Amino acid sequence: MPEAYPTLLAGQRMTAALLRSMLPQTVRKTSDESRSSTTTYTDDSHLVFPAEAFAVYTMVGWFKYFADPTPDIKVNISVPTGCLGEWGWNMPGSNTLATGTVGYAIRTETIDVNGGRTGYGTSDSIHYTPMGGLFRMGATAGNIALQWAQNTASATATTVYTDSWLQFQRIA
């Protein structure tokens, strides 16, 4: 049975807040953000979504970044206490392609909330990766935040670019 939020009842009054709750909510980077010489996960300054207690959200998004191969990038999704779920991204893998093959290896693991993964970098490319996930909130409302840092500290900046975005749809 498909899940939908909210459940509408006959005779129910339609309000702006009710109608808005039916729509996907998008958070978007409005400026580039660079970090260097740090391996500490930190919330992205834009990719943070306020989630309600006992709600279930799906997430899709697009993440654009540059990471040199020395530091690479690591990404995590921080959630409030009691939130369960998984997320994933089709991130560039390490350079494991067979000789003579053009392109990049792609990693597609699923990741529990509050579990991070490393995305690899190249010295000559800006990468983008689609993202997705599902979050089952517990009794604590709070932010679902994309966090990131360098995987290995380096003076060469790692950058997440303007117009990266995450979209959340409440389904229960």
Side-chain angles (χ1 to χ4, degrees):
M1 178 174 174
E3 289 186 279
Y5 177 85
T7 302
L8 299 176
L9 304 172
Q12 182 174 356
R13 183 175 176 179
M14 301 300 275
T15 65
L18 178 64
L19 292 172
R20 181 167 169 78
S21 73
M22 296 178 193
L23 299 174
Q25 305 296 307
T26 302
V27 291
R28 179 182 64 90
K29 285 197 73 58
T30 57
S31 62
D32 295 350
E33 188 171 350
S34 296
R35 298 181 183 158
S36 56
S37 303
T38 182
T39 61
T40 303
Y41 281 122
T42 304
D43 289 358
D44 184 273
S45 59
H46 302 104
L47 301 177
V48 178
F49 176 74
E52 295 182 29
F54 301 112
V56 178
Y57 296 93
T58 57
M59 177 194 80
V60 295
W62 190 75
F63 185 72
K64 181 180 176 183
Y65 72 93
F66 169 80
D68 197 64
T70 299
D72 292 324
I73 189 171
K74 62 183 183 178
V75 174
N76 184 48
I77 303 284
S78 173
V79 296
T81 301
C83 178
L84 300 173
E86 296 187 39
W87 68 281
W89 61 337
N90 293 335
M91 65 183 153
S94 62
N95 190 11
T96 58
L97 295 176
T99 303
T101 303
V102 177
Y104 296 99
I106 298 292
R107 295 175 61 190
T108 59
E109 298 102 344
T110 183
I111 306 149
D112 283 339
V113 294
N114 278 322
R117 280 290 188 266
T118 300
Y120 296 95
T122 58
S123 58
D124 61 352
S125 295
I126 294 173
H127 295 281
Y128 89 91
T129 179
M131 302 182 80
L134 186 126
F135 303 90
R136 298 182 316 273
M137 299 295 292
T140 305
N143 290 333
I144 299 172
L146 187 134
Q147 299 180 321
W148 60 278
Q150 293 179 318
N151 193 53
T152 304
S154 171
T156 302
T158 298
T159 303
V160 175
Y161 289 102
T162 302
D163 294 333
S164 294
W165 57 271
L166 298 174
Q167 184 178 76
F168 295 84
Q169 174 74 54
R170 185 167 179 181
I171 61 169

PDB file of all heavy atoms in Angstrom, residues 140-172:
ATOM      1  N   THR A 140      12.208  12.495  18.892  1.00  0.00           N
ATOM      2  CA  THR A 140      12.933  13.763  18.914  1.00  0.00           C
ATOM      3  C   THR A 140      12.919  14.420  17.540  1.00  0.00           C
ATOM      4  O   THR A 140      13.430  13.852  16.571  1.00  0.00           O
ATOM      5  CB  THR A 140      14.403  13.540  19.351  1.00  0.00           C
ATOM      6  OG1 THR A 140      14.414  12.864  20.604  1.00  0.00           O
ATOM      7  CG2 THR A 140      15.148  14.852  19.455  1.00  0.00           C
ATOM      8  N   ALA A 141      12.331  15.611  17.463  1.00  0.00           N
ATOM      9  CA  ALA A 141      12.401  16.399  16.229  1.00  0.00           C
ATOM     10  C   ALA A 141      13.795  17.002  16.139  1.00  0.00           C
ATOM     11  O   ALA A 141      14.508  17.107  17.137  1.00  0.00           O
ATOM     12  CB  ALA A 141      11.352  17.502  16.252  1.00  0.00           C
ATOM     13  N   GLY A 142      14.193  17.407  14.944  1.00  0.00           N
ATOM     14  CA  GLY A 142      15.494  18.051  14.800  1.00  0.00           C
ATOM     15  C   GLY A 142      15.966  18.009  13.363  1.00  0.00           C
ATOM     16  O   GLY A 142      15.225  17.628  12.453  1.00  0.00           O
ATOM     17  N   ASN A 143      17.210  18.386  13.174  1.00  0.00           N
ATOM     18  CA  ASN A 143      17.753  18.532  11.835  1.00  0.00           C
ATOM     19  C   ASN A 143      18.310  17.228  11.267  1.00  0.00           C
ATOM     20  O   ASN A 143      18.999  16.481  11.965  1.00  0.00           O
ATOM     21  CB  ASN A 143      18.869  19.570  11.832  1.00  0.00           C
ATOM     22  CG  ASN A 143      18.343  20.972  12.049  1.00  0.00           C
ATOM     23  OD1 ASN A 143      17.197  21.270  11.716  1.00  0.00           O
ATOM     24  ND2 ASN A 143      19.163  21.829  12.607  1.00  0.00           N
ATOM     25  N   ILE A 144      18.023  17.019   9.999  1.00  0.00           N
ATOM     26  CA  ILE A 144      18.733  16.037   9.187  1.00  0.00           C
ATOM     27  C   ILE A 144      19.749  16.871   8.419  1.00  0.00           C
ATOM     28  O   ILE A 144      19.374  17.742   7.630  1.00  0.00           O
ATOM     29  CB  ILE A 144      17.783  15.304   8.219  1.00  0.00           C
ATOM     30  CG1 ILE A 144      16.713  14.536   8.994  1.00  0.00           C
ATOM     31  CG2 ILE A 144      18.581  14.371   7.305  1.00  0.00           C
ATOM     32  CD1 ILE A 144      15.622  13.928   8.122  1.00  0.00           C
ATOM     33  N   ALA A 145      21.034  16.657   8.700  1.00  0.00           N
ATOM     34  CA  ALA A 145      22.074  17.528   8.149  1.00  0.00           C
ATOM     35  C   ALA A 145      23.118  16.738   7.386  1.00  0.00           C
ATOM     36  O   ALA A 145      23.627  15.735   7.887  1.00  0.00           O
ATOM     37  CB  ALA A 145      22.746  18.311   9.278  1.00  0.00           C
ATOM     38  N   LEU A 146      23.430  17.193   6.183  1.00  0.00           N
ATOM     39  CA  LEU A 146      24.544  16.618   5.454  1.00  0.00           C
ATOM     40  C   LEU A 146      25.820  17.189   6.049  1.00  0.00           C
ATOM     41  O   LEU A 146      25.967  18.402   6.187  1.00  0.00           O
ATOM     42  CB  LEU A 146      24.456  16.952   3.967  1.00  0.00           C
ATOM     43  CG  LEU A 146      25.500  16.230   3.135  1.00  0.00           C
ATOM     44  CD1 LEU A 146      24.854  15.628   1.904  1.00  0.00           C
ATOM     45  CD2 LEU A 146      26.650  17.112   2.766  1.00  0.00           C
ATOM     46  N   GLN A 147      26.718  16.307   6.446  1.00  0.00           N
ATOM     47  CA  GLN A 147      28.006  16.712   7.004  1.00  0.00           C
ATOM     48  C   GLN A 147      29.107  16.246   6.061  1.00  0.00           C
ATOM     49  O   GLN A 147      28.960  15.213   5.405  1.00  0.00           O
ATOM     50  CB  GLN A 147      28.239  16.071   8.372  1.00  0.00           C
ATOM     51  CG  GLN A 147      27.220  16.440   9.404  1.00  0.00           C
ATOM     52  CD  GLN A 147      27.507  15.758  10.737  1.00  0.00           C
ATOM     53  OE1 GLN A 147      27.910  14.601  10.785  1.00  0.00           O
ATOM     54  NE2 GLN A 147      27.301  16.485  11.821  1.00  0.00           N
ATOM     55  N   TRP A 148      30.209  16.987   6.040  1.00  0.00           N
ATOM     56  CA  TRP A 148      31.312  16.565   5.198  1.00  0.00           C
ATOM     57  C   TRP A 148      32.621  17.139   5.717  1.00  0.00           C
ATOM     58  O   TRP A 148      32.640  18.084   6.500  1.00  0.00           O
ATOM     59  CB  TRP A 148      31.075  16.921   3.739  1.00  0.00           C
ATOM     60  CG  TRP A 148      30.892  18.385   3.453  1.00  0.00           C
ATOM     61  CD1 TRP A 148      29.735  19.112   3.595  1.00  0.00           C
ATOM     62  CD2 TRP A 148      31.881  19.298   2.983  1.00  0.00           C
ATOM     63  NE1 TRP A 148      29.950  20.416   3.235  1.00  0.00           N
ATOM     64  CE2 TRP A 148      31.263  20.554   2.850  1.00  0.00           C
ATOM     65  CE3 TRP A 148      33.222  19.182   2.653  1.00  0.00           C
ATOM     66  CZ2 TRP A 148      31.947  21.686   2.398  1.00  0.00           C
ATOM     67  CZ3 TRP A 148      33.902  20.302   2.200  1.00  0.00           C
ATOM     68  CH2 TRP A 148      33.265  21.538   2.077  1.00  0.00           C
ATOM     69  N   ALA A 149      33.710  16.521   5.258  1.00  0.00           N
ATOM     70  CA  ALA A 149      35.064  16.943   5.622  1.00  0.00           C
ATOM     71  C   ALA A 149      36.035  16.277   4.659  1.00  0.00           C
ATOM     72  O   ALA A 149      35.640  15.443   3.836  1.00  0.00           O
ATOM     73  CB  ALA A 149      35.391  16.543   7.057  1.00  0.00           C
ATOM     74  N   GLN A 150      37.291  16.625   4.790  1.00  0.00           N
ATOM     75  CA  GLN A 150      38.316  15.907   4.047  1.00  0.00           C
ATOM     76  C   GLN A 150      38.536  14.554   4.715  1.00  0.00           C
ATOM     77  O   GLN A 150      38.456  14.448   5.941  1.00  0.00           O
ATOM     78  CB  GLN A 150      39.621  16.695   4.028  1.00  0.00           C
ATOM     79  CG  GLN A 150      39.520  17.979   3.240  1.00  0.00           C
ATOM     80  CD  GLN A 150      40.829  18.750   3.250  1.00  0.00           C
ATOM     81  OE1 GLN A 150      41.501  18.858   4.276  1.00  0.00           O
ATOM     82  NE2 GLN A 150      41.186  19.300   2.093  1.00  0.00           N
ATOM     83  N   ASN A 151      38.801  13.542   3.932  1.00  0.00           N
ATOM     84  CA  ASN A 151      39.103  12.229   4.512  1.00  0.00           C
ATOM     85  C   ASN A 151      40.499  12.209   5.117  1.00  0.00           C
ATOM     86  O   ASN A 151      40.730  11.586   6.146  1.00  0.00           O
ATOM     87  CB  ASN A 151      38.960  11.129   3.450  1.00  0.00           C
ATOM     88  CG  ASN A 151      38.958   9.762   4.077  1.00  0.00           C
ATOM     89  OD1 ASN A 151      38.174   9.500   4.994  1.00  0.00           O
ATOM     90  ND2 ASN A 151      39.821   8.889   3.600  1.00  0.00           N
ATOM     91  N   THR A 152      41.435  12.905   4.495  1.00  0.00           N
ATOM     92  CA  THR A 152      42.796  13.083   5.006  1.00  0.00           C
ATOM     93  C   THR A 152      43.076  14.569   4.985  1.00  0.00           C
ATOM     94  O   THR A 152      42.864  15.222   3.952  1.00  0.00           O
ATOM     95  CB  THR A 152      43.819  12.347   4.102  1.00  0.00           C
ATOM     96  OG1 THR A 152      43.455  10.976   4.018  1.00  0.00           O
ATOM     97  CG2 THR A 152      45.218  12.485   4.644  1.00  0.00           C
ATOM     98  N   ALA A 153      43.532  15.128   6.087  1.00  0.00           N
ATOM     99  CA  ALA A 153      43.774  16.572   6.162  1.00  0.00           C
ATOM    100  C   ALA A 153      44.780  16.998   5.098  1.00  0.00           C
ATOM    101  O   ALA A 153      45.818  16.366   4.916  1.00  0.00           O
ATOM    102  CB  ALA A 153      44.269  16.960   7.550  1.00  0.00           C
ATOM    103  N   SER A 154      44.446  18.079   4.393  1.00  0.00           N
ATOM    104  CA  SER A 154      45.300  18.603   3.331  1.00  0.00           C
ATOM    105  C   SER A 154      45.061  20.099   3.204  1.00  0.00           C
ATOM    106  O   SER A 154      43.943  20.576   3.396  1.00  0.00           O
ATOM    107  CB  SER A 154      44.974  17.915   2.001  1.00  0.00           C
ATOM    108  OG  SER A 154      45.634  18.550   0.931  1.00  0.00           O
ATOM    109  N   ALA A 155      46.107  20.823   2.835  1.00  0.00           N
ATOM    110  CA  ALA A 155      45.967  22.258   2.595  1.00  0.00           C
ATOM    111  C   ALA A 155      45.197  22.528   1.303  1.00  0.00           C
ATOM    112  O   ALA A 155      44.684  23.627   1.104  1.00  0.00           O
ATOM    113  CB  ALA A 155      47.343  22.913   2.539  1.00  0.00           C
ATOM    114  N   THR A 156      45.107  21.535   0.415  1.00  0.00           N
ATOM    115  CA  THR A 156      44.319  21.679  -0.808  1.00  0.00           C
ATOM    116  C   THR A 156      42.844  21.591  -0.449  1.00  0.00           C
ATOM    117  O   THR A 156      42.390  20.587   0.091  1.00  0.00           O
ATOM    118  CB  THR A 156      44.676  20.575  -1.826  1.00  0.00           C
ATOM    119  OG1 THR A 156      46.072  20.638  -2.108  1.00  0.00           O
ATOM    120  CG2 THR A 156      43.882  20.748  -3.116  1.00  0.00           C
ATOM    121  N   ALA A 157      42.120  22.653  -0.730  1.00  0.00           N
ATOM    122  CA  ALA A 157      40.714  22.740  -0.306  1.00  0.00           C
ATOM    123  C   ALA A 157      39.834  21.712  -1.006  1.00  0.00           C
ATOM    124  O   ALA A 157      40.014  21.404  -2.179  1.00  0.00           O
ATOM    125  CB  ALA A 157      40.178  24.138  -0.567  1.00  0.00           C
ATOM    126  N   THR A 158      38.883  21.198  -0.253  1.00  0.00           N
ATOM    127  CA  THR A 158      37.779  20.388  -0.760  1.00  0.00           C
ATOM    128  C   THR A 158      36.565  21.313  -0.793  1.00  0.00           C
ATOM    129  O   THR A 158      36.318  22.043   0.164  1.00  0.00           O
ATOM    130  CB  THR A 158      37.546  19.171   0.150  1.00  0.00           C
ATOM    131  OG1 THR A 158      38.725  18.370   0.137  1.00  0.00           O
ATOM    132  CG2 THR A 158      36.353  18.353  -0.309  1.00  0.00           C
ATOM    133  N   THR A 159      35.815  21.295  -1.890  1.00  0.00           N
ATOM    134  CA  THR A 159      34.727  22.257  -2.069  1.00  0.00           C
ATOM    135  C   THR A 159      33.425  21.552  -2.414  1.00  0.00           C
ATOM    136  O   THR A 159      33.404  20.646  -3.243  1.00  0.00           O
ATOM    137  CB  THR A 159      35.068  23.247  -3.208  1.00  0.00           C
ATOM    138  OG1 THR A 159      36.309  23.901  -2.904  1.00  0.00           O
ATOM    139  CG2 THR A 159      33.977  24.288  -3.393  1.00  0.00           C
ATOM    140  N   VAL A 160      32.336  21.987  -1.782  1.00  0.00           N
ATOM    141  CA  VAL A 160      30.982  21.597  -2.176  1.00  0.00           C
ATOM    142  C   VAL A 160      30.378  22.832  -2.829  1.00  0.00           C
ATOM    143  O   VAL A 160      30.451  23.939  -2.293  1.00  0.00           O
ATOM    144  CB  VAL A 160      30.148  21.099  -0.978  1.00  0.00           C
ATOM    145  CG1 VAL A 160      28.718  20.811  -1.403  1.00  0.00           C
ATOM    146  CG2 VAL A 160      30.794  19.865  -0.371  1.00  0.00           C
ATOM    147  N   TYR A 161      29.776  22.637  -3.999  1.00  0.00           N
ATOM    148  CA  TYR A 161      29.404  23.761  -4.848  1.00  0.00           C
ATOM    149  C   TYR A 161      27.948  24.198  -4.716  1.00  0.00           C
ATOM    150  O   TYR A 161      27.061  23.411  -4.377  1.00  0.00           O
ATOM    151  CB  TYR A 161      29.681  23.409  -6.318  1.00  0.00           C
ATOM    152  CG  TYR A 161      31.151  23.355  -6.608  1.00  0.00           C
ATOM    153  CD1 TYR A 161      31.805  22.134  -6.700  1.00  0.00           C
ATOM    154  CD2 TYR A 161      31.902  24.526  -6.761  1.00  0.00           C
ATOM    155  CE1 TYR A 161      33.165  22.074  -6.959  1.00  0.00           C
ATOM    156  CE2 TYR A 161      33.255  24.470  -7.010  1.00  0.00           C
ATOM    157  CZ  TYR A 161      33.888  23.244  -7.110  1.00  0.00           C
ATOM    158  OH  TYR A 161      35.230  23.196  -7.350  1.00  0.00           O
ATOM    159  N   THR A 162      27.755  25.479  -5.059  1.00  0.00           N
ATOM    160  CA  THR A 162      26.437  26.099  -5.177  1.00  0.00           C
ATOM    161  C   THR A 162      25.528  25.212  -6.025  1.00  0.00           C
ATOM    162  O   THR A 162      25.973  24.601  -6.987  1.00  0.00           O
ATOM    163  CB  THR A 162      26.579  27.479  -5.848  1.00  0.00           C
ATOM    164  OG1 THR A 162      27.467  28.276  -5.083  1.00  0.00           O
ATOM    165  CG2 THR A 162      25.230  28.175  -5.998  1.00  0.00           C
ATOM    166  N   ASP A 163      24.274  25.176  -5.649  1.00  0.00           N
ATOM    167  CA  ASP A 163      23.215  24.431  -6.324  1.00  0.00           C
ATOM    168  C   ASP A 163      23.234  22.943  -6.053  1.00  0.00           C
ATOM    169  O   ASP A 163      22.437  22.207  -6.625  1.00  0.00           O
ATOM    170  CB  ASP A 163      23.153  24.715  -7.829  1.00  0.00           C
ATOM    171  CG  ASP A 163      22.744  26.152  -8.114  1.00  0.00           C
ATOM    172  OD1 ASP A 163      22.039  26.751  -7.264  1.00  0.00           O
ATOM    173  OD2 ASP A 163      23.119  26.686  -9.168  1.00  0.00           O
ATOM    174  N   SER A 164      24.097  22.451  -5.155  1.00  0.00           N
ATOM    175  CA  SER A 164      23.877  21.117  -4.605  1.00  0.00           C
ATOM    176  C   SER A 164      22.567  21.209  -3.844  1.00  0.00           C
ATOM    177  O   SER A 164      22.233  22.263  -3.287  1.00  0.00           O
ATOM    178  CB  SER A 164      25.009  20.727  -3.649  1.00  0.00           C
ATOM    179  OG  SER A 164      26.233  20.589  -4.328  1.00  0.00           O
ATOM    180  N   TRP A 165      21.792  20.130  -3.807  1.00  0.00           N
ATOM    181  CA  TRP A 165      20.480  20.220  -3.153  1.00  0.00           C
ATOM    182  C   TRP A 165      20.040  18.873  -2.609  1.00  0.00           C
ATOM    183  O   TRP A 165      20.492  17.825  -3.060  1.00  0.00           O
ATOM    184  CB  TRP A 165      19.419  20.770  -4.108  1.00  0.00           C
ATOM    185  CG  TRP A 165      19.266  19.970  -5.374  1.00  0.00           C
ATOM    186  CD1 TRP A 165      19.955  20.140  -6.536  1.00  0.00           C
ATOM    187  CD2 TRP A 165      18.369  18.868  -5.602  1.00  0.00           C
ATOM    188  NE1 TRP A 165      19.547  19.207  -7.474  1.00  0.00           N
ATOM    189  CE2 TRP A 165      18.586  18.418  -6.932  1.00  0.00           C
ATOM    190  CE3 TRP A 165      17.424  18.214  -4.824  1.00  0.00           C
ATOM    191  CZ2 TRP A 165      17.868  17.355  -7.487  1.00  0.00           C
ATOM    192  CZ3 TRP A 165      16.716  17.144  -5.384  1.00  0.00           C
ATOM    193  CH2 TRP A 165      16.938  16.740  -6.692  1.00  0.00           C
ATOM    194  N   LEU A 166      19.154  18.943  -1.624  1.00  0.00           N
ATOM    195  CA  LEU A 166      18.484  17.763  -1.068  1.00  0.00           C
ATOM    196  C   LEU A 166      17.002  18.086  -0.982  1.00  0.00           C
ATOM    197  O   LEU A 166      16.608  19.174  -0.543  1.00  0.00           O
ATOM    198  CB  LEU A 166      19.005  17.423   0.337  1.00  0.00           C
ATOM    199  CG  LEU A 166      20.482  17.059   0.439  1.00  0.00           C
ATOM    200  CD1 LEU A 166      20.874  16.897   1.905  1.00  0.00           C
ATOM    201  CD2 LEU A 166      20.783  15.793  -0.347  1.00  0.00           C
ATOM    202  N   GLN A 167      16.163  17.130  -1.376  1.00  0.00           N
ATOM    203  CA  GLN A 167      14.718  17.325  -1.334  1.00  0.00           C
ATOM    204  C   GLN A 167      14.116  16.251  -0.430  1.00  0.00           C
ATOM    205  O   GLN A 167      14.417  15.057  -0.573  1.00  0.00           O
ATOM    206  CB  GLN A 167      14.136  17.224  -2.729  1.00  0.00           C
ATOM    207  CG  GLN A 167      12.647  17.516  -2.787  1.00  0.00           C
ATOM    208  CD  GLN A 167      12.157  17.441  -4.205  1.00  0.00           C
ATOM    209  OE1 GLN A 167      11.986  16.358  -4.742  1.00  0.00           O
ATOM    210  NE2 GLN A 167      11.960  18.599  -4.826  1.00  0.00           N
ATOM    211  N   PHE A 168      13.272  16.675   0.500  1.00  0.00           N
ATOM    212  CA  PHE A 168      12.639  15.782   1.466  1.00  0.00           C
ATOM    213  C   PHE A 168      11.132  15.780   1.223  1.00  0.00           C
ATOM    214  O   PHE A 168      10.519  16.835   1.052  1.00  0.00           O
ATOM    215  CB  PHE A 168      12.941  16.239   2.894  1.00  0.00           C
ATOM    216  CG  PHE A 168      14.403  16.140   3.239  1.00  0.00           C
ATOM    217  CD1 PHE A 168      15.299  17.130   2.910  1.00  0.00           C
ATOM    218  CD2 PHE A 168      14.873  15.003   3.895  1.00  0.00           C
ATOM    219  CE1 PHE A 168      16.640  17.017   3.220  1.00  0.00           C
ATOM    220  CE2 PHE A 168      16.219  14.872   4.210  1.00  0.00           C
ATOM    221  CZ  PHE A 168      17.103  15.886   3.866  1.00  0.00           C
ATOM    222  N   GLN A 169      10.563  14.588   1.243  1.00  0.00           N
ATOM    223  CA  GLN A 169       9.112  14.421   1.095  1.00  0.00           C
ATOM    224  C   GLN A 169       8.610  13.611   2.285  1.00  0.00           C
ATOM    225  O   GLN A 169       9.052  12.495   2.490  1.00  0.00           O
ATOM    226  CB  GLN A 169       8.777  13.676  -0.193  1.00  0.00           C
ATOM    227  CG  GLN A 169       7.313  13.332  -0.362  1.00  0.00           C
ATOM    228  CD  GLN A 169       6.458  14.528  -0.705  1.00  0.00           C
ATOM    229  OE1 GLN A 169       6.730  15.238  -1.659  1.00  0.00           O
ATOM    230  NE2 GLN A 169       5.410  14.768   0.074  1.00  0.00           N
ATOM    231  N   ARG A 170       7.708  14.209   3.056  1.00  0.00           N
ATOM    232  CA  ARG A 170       7.124  13.466   4.175  1.00  0.00           C
ATOM    233  C   ARG A 170       6.118  12.458   3.610  1.00  0.00           C
ATOM    234  O   ARG A 170       5.238  12.820   2.823  1.00  0.00           O
ATOM    235  CB  ARG A 170       6.448  14.399   5.160  1.00  0.00           C
ATOM    236  CG  ARG A 170       5.940  13.633   6.377  1.00  0.00           C
ATOM    237  CD  ARG A 170       5.550  14.528   7.505  1.00  0.00           C
ATOM    238  NE  ARG A 170       5.048  13.698   8.606  1.00  0.00           N
ATOM    239  CZ  ARG A 170       4.602  14.189   9.737  1.00  0.00           C
ATOM    240  NH1 ARG A 170       4.602  15.493   9.961  1.00  0.00           N
ATOM    241  NH2 ARG A 170       4.173  13.367  10.683  1.00  0.00           N
ATOM    242  N   ILE A 171       6.246  11.183   4.039  1.00  0.00           N
ATOM    243  CA  ILE A 171       5.337  10.153   3.535  1.00  0.00           C
ATOM    244  C   ILE A 171       4.516   9.510   4.647  1.00  0.00           C
ATOM    245  O   ILE A 171       3.601   8.739   4.370  1.00  0.00           O
ATOM    246  CB  ILE A 171       6.089   9.073   2.735  1.00  0.00           C
ATOM    247  CG1 ILE A 171       7.113   8.347   3.593  1.00  0.00           C
ATOM    248  CG2 ILE A 171       6.713   9.673   1.487  1.00  0.00           C
ATOM    249  CD1 ILE A 171       7.702   7.102   2.945  1.00  0.00           C
ATOM    250  N   ALA A 172       4.843   9.795   5.878  1.00  0.00           N
ATOM    251  CA  ALA A 172       4.055   9.252   7.001  1.00  0.00           C
ATOM    252  C   ALA A 172       4.311  10.095   8.240  1.00  0.00           C
ATOM    253  O   ALA A 172       5.259  10.831   8.330  1.00  0.00           O
ATOM    254  CB  ALA A 172       4.407   7.802   7.267  1.00  0.00           C
TER     255      ALA A 172
END
